[in-house]
Amino acid sequence: MTSFGYFLSCEEFTPAQLLEQARRAADAGFTRLAVSDHFHPWNDAQGNSPFVWSVIGALSQTVDLPVTTLVTCPTVRLHPAVTAQAAATSSRLLGGRFALGVGTGEALNEHILGDRWPSFDERADMLEEAVEVMRKLFTGRRISHRGTHYTVDNARLYTTPAGRLPVHVSGFGPKAAELAGRIGDGFVTMGPDEEAIGRFREAGGAGKPVIGGLKVCWDPDRDRAVDTAHRLWPSEHLPGELAQILPTPAHFEQASQLVTREQVSENVPCGDDVEEHVAAVRAYVDAGFEEVYVGQMGPGQEAFFAAYREKVLPALAG
């Protein structure tokens, strides 16, 4: 059975706004939360980027919903040992209701310390080793590790996770889907791509959850909703590997000039047509997702939560 969660966008909202959205999400009937991890927003119009681990700590004291990172990169900007400590503390604060979604990252966030941005194959290898390191640390045993990419010297987590801490692996191509099947406790992918899910299942993901979601713009004025989505999230529609290799918000703004308003209108649920929103979410259900997270773009949060509480979520449950 599919559960429906709310997606908290650290790129677009302040910490206080994210906490208020979490409260409203719980009141509206969403049963889970996902939160993004960025150092930079995708563009200056989004305008935010709080430290996700501080946000998660605050969420643990605000609502009782499970929280998943969608996703964090434990390979460049943060060493996997530090990420493991942050994740274990988050698990403890949330009473075991935390899942760590990880991915190979984007240059947008990971280049900031001046590190070379590796090819995908190298980043995938780094992620596999990082997951290995983190799982060893989650046991609470003292570990040392000398690997291809990381060294850990006599490290031990004294604050361990509250129970088993799932590590879900993100992927958008065939290699990444296969990696998720092989090393992940679940598969994170943002589109209802049945081929990718099939590769994940065949590579070892049978019986493991598939997790993802979408952004929408609920607004009684559809044209205004399209304008909002086009202004704030054109990066969602960039092709190929641009999202992984462009290094700054300014580069994304340049590339996003290629994204037309018509593309956004055709691909993003915009406006207040309940059936459009229901159909967009149901596509994930039909593709086999166990968890689907919906995020509202722009300022219309109150109207979004009211509509999903009264109309969209009941229709999905029916």
Side-chain angles (χ1 to χ4, degrees):
M1 184 174 178
T2 305
S3 59
F4 302 104
Y6 186 72
F7 189 92
L8 299 166
S9 172
C10 284
E11 303 96 314
E12 193 184 336
F13 299 102
T14 67
Q17 288 172 325
L18 294 170
L19 297 182
E20 179 59 25
Q21 288 171 18
R23 294 186 191 97
R24 290 184 171 183
D27 291 342
F30 289 99
T31 59
R32 317 182 69 87
L33 297 171
V35 61
S36 58
D37 175 15
H38 270 241
F39 190 89
H40 291 136
W42 297 100
N43 55 49
D44 283 354
Q46 292 174 350
N48 283 284
S49 204
F51 188 52
V52 71
W53 301 108
S54 299
V55 173
I56 291 169
L59 288 171
S60 74
Q61 306 304 301
T62 302
V63 292
D64 293 328
L65 300 182
V67 177
T68 301
T69 52
L70 291 186
V71 292
T72 194
C73 178
T75 59
V76 180
R77 173 171 43 111
L78 286 184
H79 191 283
V82 177
T83 305
Q85 185 185 26
T89 300
S90 298
S91 174
R92 186 65 64 173
L93 283 168
L94 285 157
R97 301 185 311 276
F98 177 72
L100 179 63
V102 298
T104 57
E106 301 96 12
L108 174 71
N109 304 302
E110 307 306 321
H111 83 282
I112 60 167
L113 302 180
D115 297 278
R116 176 182 64 86
W117 185 236
S119 68
F120 170 78
D121 286 343
E122 186 176 351
R123 299 199 319 269
D125 192 52
M126 293 168 71
L127 182 62
E128 182 167 2
E129 186 177 336
V131 170
E132 177 189 355
V133 167
M134 291 189 295
R135 284 185 171 139
K136 287 179 179 178
L137 286 165
F138 291 156
T139 66
R141 297 193 296 267
R142 186 179 304 279
I143 76 156
S144 291
H145 174 90
R146 300 284 187 277
T148 303
H149 304 287
Y150 304 107
T151 297
V152 180
D153 184 31
N154 288 310
R156 176 185 172 189
L157 291 184
Y158 279 80
T159 299
T160 55
R164 185 173 177 275
L165 199 170
V167 180
H168 302 315
V169 176
S170 174
F172 299 97
K175 291 181 180 179
E178 291 167 4
L179 176 67
R182 186 160 51 81
I183 72 168
D185 296 311
F187 180 38
V188 178
T189 187
M190 287 300 114
D193 185 340
E194 295 188 24
E195 181 179 350
I197 294 171
R199 285 183 177 270
F200 164 70
R201 302 279 190 221
E202 292 170 4
K208 299 176 183 178
V210 178
I211 300 138
L214 69 161
K215 291 184 176 63
V216 305
C217 192
W218 183 277
D219 192 311
D221 185 327
R222 191 175 195 281
D223 286 338
R224 183 170 61 197
V226 173
D227 288 341
T228 297
H230 186 240
R231 176 174 60 86
L232 291 174
W233 289 95
S235 56
E236 294 270 289
H237 309 282
L238 292 176
E241 295 184 54
L242 286 177
Q244 281 72 54
I245 63 175
L246 295 179
T248 69
H251 287 98
F252 277 93
E253 289 164 4
Q254 293 165 12
S256 294
Q257 293 176 30
L258 301 173
V259 177
T260 67
R261 190 179 182 280
E262 288 69 29
Q263 283 178 277
V264 172
S265 180
E266 291 171 3
N267 290 286
V268 178
C270 288
D272 60 357
D273 183 336
V274 172
E275 288 305 316
E276 181 181 358
H277 285 257
V278 169
V281 178
R282 187 161 284 151
Y284 289 78
V285 178
D286 294 343
F289 282 68
E290 278 76 20
E291 299 174 20
V292 182
Y293 295 89
V294 183
Q296 163 73 0
M297 305 179 194
Q301 299 293 322
E302 185 172 350
F304 166 86
F305 284 117
Y308 269 66
R309 179 181 64 247
E310 297 165 11
K311 301 174 182 178
V312 178
L313 291 178
L316 289 165

